[in-house]
Amino acid sequence: MWRKFLCSSSYLLMFHRRSGFVSRMRYMKKLQQDDEACLAALVTGHLLLFHRLEPMLRRNNAGGFTSPTLYYTDMQSVVQALGATESLLNESLLLGCREDMHAYFCLDVAQLDRESVEKLCEGTFVDLKKSFFLLSGAEAPLVAKGKALLRWHQTNKYCGASGQPTCRNQAGSHRVCDTTGMVLYPTMAPVVIVLVSDGQRCLLGRQPSFPPGLYSALAGFCDMGESLEDALRREVAEEVGLEVDAISYSSSQHWPHPHSSFMLACHAHVSPDKTQLLVDHTELQDARWFTLDEITAALKAKSPPSGGLLAAAPWLPPKHAIAHILIREWAERRRDPGRPKV
């Protein structure tokens, strides 16, 4: 173990000589390719805990919540106290690397008693969707990536071609079927998400599964062979019966639901004289046009509206969700005529 640690230290010294971002990327690549180096990094790294894919959160001194990062040695004590073997820790998956070159890992401890782990680690396992409203923007993407990676490994233990078991590398960046030689990599499904505007209002919709009062931008999976623009126009036509006449790209984001999506965010414009909605209620529970005043009030809201579905202003997705970013961008453009418009 000490030999592995010393090897890892020499890697760190080599990478520290490069610029910060390049160093982290090269170091991450090294850990993905070298199982021994990855194990050494795990011993000095930080762990994000999950239980049946629910992340652990801990209340901080400011009254908010954070995702506690535990040291490997901390988890050694927890595992030993609960009668499990330390080999459980080797199932951790590599998530990322901090600026100080300490690696982040995630670990699902579903085989351990939930309440006992919560007590020993002074945290609480929380549903991921709920956690997004509790975490800061910096932590949420790391937690989302953790759940996505853990779930991908849980659902790809067997090769789809041979039916034989697959084996992961130490970092968890891929799995291999020894029978066929096939290498499996974690994937994301492309999803277009769009905020439609008629120049004065923006269009938001809600699905039956949303919390009461929550509205969001329209979204849908890209079909095989579709371009981003084709998928966007089709989804808007299918869900609300509108025809888009202009599109501008905003940004992208990984989203762990429903099974790890790659969100491609856009703004879209429809003609002001063609805004009559024809909602497909098999897709959406409701869709509405909202004014700038309504959106401004929603952006300031700290909790769900008491009126639920009948509230004047909607409840919006978490601040770090790309749907929220789209909505905020639209509001800023409406308030500042100098900003680019769609």
Side-chain angles (χ1 to χ4, degrees):
M1 182 63 74
W2 280 108
R3 181 183 171 213
K4 294 178 183 178
F5 176 77
L6 292 173
C7 289
S8 178
S9 298
S10 65
Y11 291 142
L12 291 177
L13 289 173
M14 176 179 67
F15 289 124
H16 266 307
R17 298 192 183 104
R18 302 182 183 273
S19 68
F21 179 76
V22 173
S23 296
R24 294 197 303 276
M25 297 306 102
R26 293 286 179 87
Y27 184 51
M28 282 288 292
K29 185 176 181 181
K30 177 66 180 178
L31 299 185
Q32 292 171 347
Q33 295 175 336
D34 187 328
D35 285 354
E36 189 169 313
C38 189
L39 276 172
L42 173 61
V43 173
T44 60
H46 301 269
L47 287 169
L48 273 66
L49 287 192
F50 291 75
H51 192 280
R52 299 191 184 279
L53 300 180
E54 291 188 350
M56 172 172 282
L57 302 187
R58 180 187 292 164
R59 189 176 291 277
N60 57 32
N61 295 332
F65 287 85
T66 185
S67 174
T69 52
L70 304 166
Y71 286 99
Y72 181 91
T73 51
D74 296 330
M75 285 309 300
Q76 279 182 311
S77 300
V78 171
V79 167
Q80 291 172 357
L82 298 181
T85 63
E86 288 189 25
S87 61
L88 171 63
L89 301 181
N90 292 342
E91 296 178 15
S92 302
L93 303 173
L94 179 65
L95 279 182
C97 180
R98 300 191 324 185
E99 291 186 3
D100 63 3
M101 304 301 284
H102 279 86
Y104 274 110
F105 294 82
C106 62
L107 175 66
D108 197 302
V109 292
Q111 68 188 72
L112 302 181
D113 180 71
R114 180 187 181 114
E115 293 184 359
S116 298
V117 176
E118 290 177 331
K119 182 177 180 180
L120 290 171
C121 297
E122 300 179 342
T124 304
F125 292 108
V126 178
D127 176 77
L128 186 66
K129 290 183 178 179
K130 182 179 179 181
S131 73
F132 283 159
F133 287 95
L134 302 173
L135 290 171
S136 68
E139 291 182 302
L142 201 62
V143 171
K145 180 179 179 180
K147 175 172 180 175
L149 272 176
L150 289 166
R151 180 168 52 194
W152 183 82
H153 280 279
Q154 290 176 7
T155 57
N156 285 272
K157 292 182 177 181
Y158 295 89
C159 175
S162 68
Q164 297 302 307
T166 58
C167 300
R168 51 164 279 200
N169 65 332
Q170 183 57 47
S173 60
H174 65 264
R175 300 186 73 92
V176 177
C177 174
D178 290 333
T179 301
T180 64
M182 186 180 297
V183 181
L184 308 176
Y185 295 95
T187 58
M188 299 185 290
V191 173
V192 62
I193 180 167
V194 55
L195 190 69
V196 178
S197 172
D198 65 357
Q200 299 297 316
R201 303 171 298 172
C202 71
L203 178 65
L204 301 179
R206 59 170 281 108
Q207 298 177 2
S209 60
F210 286 5
L214 190 142
Y215 280 75
S216 185
L218 305 183
F221 289 98
C222 297
D223 284 344
M224 183 66 71
E226 279 188 322
S227 67
L228 170 63
E229 296 81 2
D230 290 341
L232 186 154
R233 289 190 169 94
R234 174 183 55 77
E235 283 293 336
V236 174
E238 287 178 352
E239 294 190 353
V240 293
L242 297 179
E243 186 172 344
V244 168
D245 59 29
I247 298 170
S248 67
Y249 175 76
S250 171
S251 56
S252 63
Q253 182 183 66
H254 165 255
W255 194 246
H257 307 294
H259 294 288
S260 203
S261 302
F262 183 40
M263 310 298 290
L264 302 163
C266 296
H267 291 275
H269 183 270
V270 296
S271 175
D273 60 352
K274 296 180 180 178
T275 58
Q276 181 65 42
L277 301 180
L278 183 61
V279 179
D280 180 354
H281 289 288
T282 64
E283 295 267 358
L284 298 175
Q285 184 181 32
D286 187 32
R288 299 184 195 177
W289 290 105
F290 291 91
T291 65
L292 177 59
D293 287 343
E294 291 171 325
I295 293 299
T296 299
L299 288 168
K300 295 177 180 178
K302 302 296 184 182
S303 60
S306 58
L309 292 179
L310 300 178
W315 185 31
L316 302 180
K319 290 183 179 180
H320 44 269
I322 204 163
H324 188 107
I325 295 171
L326 280 173
I327 295 166
R328 185 176 294 278
E329 285 178 347
W330 177 84
E332 290 173 349
R333 289 174 180 177
R334 287 283 293 117
R335 286 192 291 264
D336 182 359
R339 286 177 175 266
K341 297 180 180 179
V342 294

